[in-house]
Amino acid sequence: MSIPRGSQVQKRFSSFMRKGLLEVPSPTEKDWPKDDEDDYVFVDLGQEVDSLPQPYRMINKMVNLLFDKCWEVIQERDALRDVEFNRTQPTTYPPLVESKLNKMPNCMAISQDYVFIGGAKGFSIYNLYNAKRIYIWEKLKVDVTSIWATDLGNEILIAPVDETGIARLFYFYKDGLFLIKAINEVDDASKQTTCIKMEISQGGDFAAFLLQGAGDIWLDVYKLPKESWLKEVEHPQPALNPKKKARQPQLNTLEPVTSENLEMDMNVCFRGDIKLSLPVHIMKIKPPKPVTGTTFKSPLEVFAKVEDYYGLGSGQNHFIKDSQWEQLAAIFLASHQKYLDKEWEEEPPSMATFHFLLPSRIITMPVEVKGPSGVACVLGIHWAGSHNFFFYSLHRTLKDKVDPEGVWPCAAPIVVSQLSCTCTFLVLACEDGVLTLWDLAEGQNMYPESPLKSQMKCVVLCTDSSLYLVTAKGTQGPTISVLVERPIKHLDEAICAVAPVLALPGMLLIFGKNGSVQLMDVAKPQIICAFVLPRTYHLAVPWKPLFAVSVQHPCFLLRGDHPDEIESDDTKDIQNSVFYFNLEAYPLLENMARNHTIPETDMTENTAFAQVLPLEKRCESFLQKRFQKLEKKVKEQEHWTRFRRYSLLLQRENFRK
């Protein structure tokens, strides 16, 4: 923006001006430069501009800055378009089946050949392969926000949690759905607690619920009588008091599914007239108390407090006085007062992560505690902001004193812990970026006959959306490789979630912030293919996709949202869809299970990989190992027999001589 000096009224003047700077000529004429037409330029004095006054000068700068920024964005998009054009795009596959729902699904879970979808006023059961609805249970006044499903063999244990934080246990067996118990439901609404998180052990022997209420938080652990449930559903007995009504209406009714426009593969009914045995409450775990000054008078009292060295390392039993804590606090405040805006107080733990662990020599447990193999016997837990990973025995009653049987102290607070699907490996990630990998399966044998064969691959997703692969083998040091680097310019390519495909070891599903879904082979590493929704659908919340991956089958479910349906105010006409992707059905992936990149020896010798193999492969591997052991024994017996014969012959020859 500028203002010309001249106007229509003013007279315009034109002149020739020399290019460059004017200089004082020398006194002698012979040194004067010769004029050239190219040394002059025609200048119209009427076209000269004046500087703008304020605030127009500032507006001019802002407009120019805006144009410059827009041009930079245009150049960046052009560069990105060129990169995308030159990049090798992976093969994309559409979903095989689309299941249209009348209500918005809030959560999903897969177990065996069934899909459990939680939504408004309850949950529904669908067939995994043909997406047909089998049964719908809508007895609540609020929505179901999360749901778990655990395989118990021929039965399935279902655990939905609604908006009010009430957790319920359901038992799904053949053609019947049974309500076991509402875990934290009370008659007095003022005393109602909220279920924040829950976990069910592998096999369904135990369950733990993280509850919060009245300013406190604790963990309730239950033992599940699944053997009694099976007997009670096979030989049902009516309830003793059928007239007694539950809090939720119409729960104690026999209600078969009837729908005019619904095709069903099986006739499932809700058996509210049959009462199943209730879970047994065995323990209530509270967060560890803040470390304060000691109340002991001598170190001997401290050691006497720690019985059999269980709980040693928790920091609760010490001989540090209050005065020493005050001195340390004063030194800390004096050194870091300028970095502290206000007084800092330790916040109570508000979240906990817990896992059910199988028997292992690594975990110190009482000698008298013995349980069947393959059944969880220990509960591992760490609280938010805590350095310690606690172990609690599951072989106890509610009357027993709740003290940890073991403690693993870490140098920094534990932020993430993860247990493998086979319960053989445990990973602890601390705040300082240190990862600790534990092989619980190798710890079952205190004196191994052969060298350690532990082998583990752990995929780590960092907060900056970078993806790493940590490999640990035997006694060798771990190796770290980058799978996906941190996005710098294109933030929409950031990874928001990852999920392993347990039926295809070594395969990983990667969900991007831009709505992309890719399958990666972490052993190579490379992107195998990508999965896309139909053009009319996309992920409404791409940074938090709603998906579920099957444990037994190489397939996963993904919720898709229609743009028009998201913006619509009429919720009755909204059609939501859940899309089914079967990895074995696509041409590129149909032989992936057979042509996996993990060596066959690792698949059979490693306990973690062996557990995720199909049943036929596991049986074949077991029989091969048994045959090899028998063959080895036979050869040893043959060698021993030959040796005995040779010894007898030598003795006879010596006797004859």
Side-chain angles (χ1 to χ4, degrees), residues 362 425 437-456 472-476 602 605-606:
I362 296 180
F425 295 103
L437 312 179
W438 293 92
D439 187 351
L440 304 179
E442 288 290 342
Q444 293 179 358
N445 190 358
M446 182 63 72
Y447 304 101
E449 299 176 357
S450 59
L452 292 176
K453 297 182 180 179
S454 299
Q455 183 174 355
M456 178 184 183
K473 184 176 182 180
T475 57
Q476 302 176 3
D602 296 342
E605 294 180 2
N606 194 296

Side-chain angles (χ1 to χ4, degrees), residues 371-518:
S373 60
V375 178
C377 66
V378 179
L379 178 69
I381 180 175
H382 67 89
W383 299 88
S386 175
H387 294 64
N388 300 324
F389 192 83
F390 297 94
F391 298 97
Y392 294 87
S393 173
L394 295 173
H395 297 276
R396 67 174 77 215
T397 62
L398 193 60
K399 297 180 180 180
D400 297 335
K401 188 177 181 181
V402 182
D403 286 331
E405 276 75 17
V407 181
W408 284 354
C410 299
I414 305 173
V415 292
V416 178
S417 65
Q418 187 65 43
L419 184 67
S420 63
C421 61
T422 56
C423 302
T424 53
F425 295 103
L426 178 65
V427 182
L428 301 180
C430 295
E431 201 174 61
D432 55 357
V434 176
L435 261 70
T436 307
L437 312 179
W438 293 92
D439 187 351
L440 304 179
E442 288 290 342
Q444 293 179 358
N445 190 358
M446 182 63 72
Y447 304 101
E449 299 176 357
S450 59
L452 292 176
K453 297 182 180 179
S454 299
Q455 183 174 355
M456 178 184 183
K457 291 184 178 181
C458 176
V459 177
V460 182
L461 178 61
C462 301
T463 54
D464 60 353
S465 295
S466 59
L467 197 65
Y468 293 88
L469 178 65
V470 181
T471 304
K473 184 176 182 180
T475 57
Q476 302 176 3
T479 58
I480 302 176
S481 58
V482 180
L483 297 178
V484 179
E485 296 182 351
R486 176 177 64 92
I488 300 177
K489 292 185 178 180
H490 312 298
L491 299 180
D492 58 337
E493 297 181 355
I495 300 175
C496 57
V498 295
V501 183
L502 301 179
L504 297 177
M507 298 298 162
L508 184 73
L509 286 173
I510 300 177
F511 298 85
K513 190 178 179 180
N514 55 2
S516 62
V517 182
Q518 297 177 332

Side-chain angles (χ1 to χ4, degrees), residues 28 92 152 158 228 246 259 421 434 480 502 542:
T28 56
T92 58
L152 303 182
I158 312 168
S228 301
S259 180
C421 61
V434 176
I480 302 176
L502 301 179

Side-chain angles (χ1 to χ4, degrees), residues 16 63 89 100 195 232 245 289 291 297 312 320 329 346-347 403 463 476 567 570 576 581 599 612:
F16 287 92
V63 172
Q89 298 293 337
K100 293 187 177 181
C195 180
E232 292 167 355
K245 297 182 179 180
K289 298 179 181 179
V291 180
K297 297 180 180 179
L312 185 63
I320 303 176
E346 186 177 357
E347 297 181 359
D403 286 331
T463 54
Q476 302 176 3
E567 299 175 358
D570 189 4
N576 301 278
F581 296 87
V612 298

Side-chain angles (χ1 to χ4, degrees), residues 342-362:
K342 57 182 180 179
E343 294 184 1
W344 179 82
E345 295 181 359
E346 186 177 357
E347 297 181 359
S350 58
M351 184 56 67
T353 305
F354 42 94
H355 311 281
F356 289 98
L357 308 177
L358 299 179
S360 175
R361 295 285 185 179
I362 296 180

Side-chain angles (χ1 to χ4, degrees), residues 62-167:
M62 295 297 295
V63 172
N64 292 334
L65 179 62
L66 180 61
F67 279 113
D68 294 339
K69 292 292 184 181
C70 293
W71 184 249
E72 291 178 0
V73 172
I74 293 173
Q75 290 180 330
E76 183 179 353
R77 290 184 178 180
D78 290 340
L80 179 61
R81 190 180 296 108
D82 295 339
V83 171
E84 291 290 337
F85 181 78
N86 297 326
R87 182 188 300 177
T88 303
Q89 298 293 337
T91 306
T92 58
Y93 293 112
L96 296 180
V97 181
E98 177 184 358
S99 178
K100 293 187 177 181
L101 309 177
N102 295 328
K103 299 178 181 179
M104 175 73 74
N106 298 327
C107 50
M108 294 186 296
I110 302 176
S111 183
Q112 297 183 9
D113 299 335
Y114 303 99
V115 180
F116 305 91
I117 300 179
K121 299 182 180 181
F123 64 92
S124 304
I125 305 176
Y126 290 81
N127 186 287
L128 178 61
Y129 302 106
N130 55 23
K132 292 183 179 180
R133 189 168 65 180
I134 298 174
Y135 182 75
I136 179 171
W137 187 86
E138 293 182 347
K139 304 293 183 182
L140 304 177
K141 297 180 180 179
V142 293
D143 297 351
V144 172
T145 56
S146 57
I147 191 169
W148 286 263
T150 303
D151 184 9
L152 303 182
N154 296 327
E155 320 89 63
I156 299 176
L157 185 63
I158 312 168
V161 180
D162 60 26
E163 287 180 324
T164 60
I166 298 178

Side-chain angles (χ1 to χ4, degrees), residues 269-293:
C269 59
F270 177 71
R271 301 299 302 272
D273 58 331
I274 299 177
K275 297 298 181 181
L276 302 183
S277 299
L278 299 179
V280 181
H281 191 195
I282 60 175
M283 134 173 82
K284 182 178 181 180
I285 303 175
K286 293 185 178 181
K289 298 179 181 179
V291 180
T292 57

